[in-house]
Each structure stands twice: as C-alpha cells, then as structure tokens.
C-alpha cells in the first residue's frame, strides 16, 4: 500500500466519522501536541547552541535525529495510552465542576453508581438534565470522557 493509498484511506475515514469520534480525535490530538512541544523546543535549542558553539553540522543533525526518534516512540506510547476507552451507559445523577476544566460525574449504571473524574470532555455533559439516560466512553488513565449518545 503506497503513501497515496494510505492518505486516501485516512481522508475517507475522516469524512465518515461521527460526532463523538471527531470529538475524541480532537481531544487526543491536543493532548499529544502538548506532549510534542517540549521535544520540538529541545531540537531548536540544540540547533541554536550548535551554531553558536560552531559544532559540526553532522553532529547537530545526529543529535536532532536521536531526539526525533525518541519523540516518535514517546508519542506512540502516549497515543496508545489514550486509546483504551470503557463504555458506561446509565442515568446521569450529578455533575459537579471542581476546577476550570475538571468535573466529577456520577452515573448510575444499573444499581451501582459510578464516579467519573473528568479532565477533558466534561463540558459536553453540562447541557444534560439530571436523571437523563446517557452513554459515555471514559478513559480512566487520561480522565477523558466522550458523550456518545444523549
């Protein structure tokens, strides 16, 4: 499969995504970009210091390639961490706003209430009424909640 085919497949998939899938991709993309900023800044600093110290250009390139390679595996591992969502279906009992973007939602699934601590995606739950049936995909590691159905 060539690069053109992979791009076409990815583009077609992005056009057929549902709203919750787009929201999840948007949140995870922002989180991964935050993690990628530090290595990018580090690479720029390495280039500037190398030029000022008049270090061989090939050495600077080698160090930058090592940083890029390490960043690739770091971002890949972080991306896998964001992929394990667990579905919850139940009535929304309460939603408390703890901080600027931090929420605590209690969903009653069957007879057992479940407490979800949410750092990303909690604002989607704000418009819902109490005791409304809701389906939420929740990632406990990153504390991401995606409202699937309202």
């Amino acid at each position: 499969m060539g690069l053109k085919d992979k791009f076409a497949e990815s583009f077609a998939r992005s056009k057929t995504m549902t709203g919750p899938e787009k929201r999840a991709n948007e949140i995870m993309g922002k989180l991964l970009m935050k993690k990628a900023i530090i290595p990018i800044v580090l690479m720029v600093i390495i280039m500037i210091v190398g030029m000022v110290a008049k270090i061989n250009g090939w050495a600077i390139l080698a160090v930058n390639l090592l940083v890029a390679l390490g960043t690739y595996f770091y971002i890949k591992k972080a991306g896998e961490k964001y992929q394990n969502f667990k579905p919850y279906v139940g009535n929304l009992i309460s939603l408390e706003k703890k901080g600027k973007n931090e929420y605590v939602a209690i969903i009653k699934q069957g007879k057992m209430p479940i407490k979800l601590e949410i750092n990303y995606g909690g604002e989607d739950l704000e418009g819902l009424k109490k005791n409304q049936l809701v389906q939420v995909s929740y990632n406990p590691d990153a504390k991401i909640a995606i409202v699937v159905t309202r």
Side-chain angles (χ1 to χ4, degrees), residues 96-147:
E96 295 178 28
K97 189 170 184 175
K98 292 288 183 181
K100 184 178 178 185
N101 290 330
E102 296 176 7
Y103 296 87
V104 175
I106 298 176
I107 295 176
K108 188 173 183 185
Q109 188 173 13
K111 294 185 178 192
M112 187 173 73
I114 298 166
K115 183 178 178 181
L116 304 176
E117 295 178 9
I118 303 168
N119 287 346
Y120 303 99
E123 57 274 357
D124 295 339
L125 292 168
E126 281 186 330
L128 300 177
K129 299 175 186 170
K130 251 185 158 178
N131 291 326
Q132 183 174 350
L133 185 66
V134 65
Q135 181 179 355
V136 176
S137 290
Y138 181 69
N139 183 331
D141 298 330
K143 297 183 180 179
I144 302 172
I146 305 298
V147 178

Side-chain angles (χ1 to χ4, degrees), residues 56-94:
N56 186 358
W58 290 108
I60 297 170
L61 177 66
V63 171
N64 274 335
L65 287 175
L66 287 174
V67 170
L69 186 66
T71 302
Y72 169 75
F73 288 112
Y74 173 69
I75 297 294
K76 185 176 179 182
K77 186 175 181 180
E80 289 172 0
K81 178 180 132 182
Y82 295 137
Q83 294 297 324
N84 36 337
F85 282 92
K86 187 173 179 184
Y88 291 102
V89 179
N91 294 332
L92 180 66
I93 301 300
S94 71

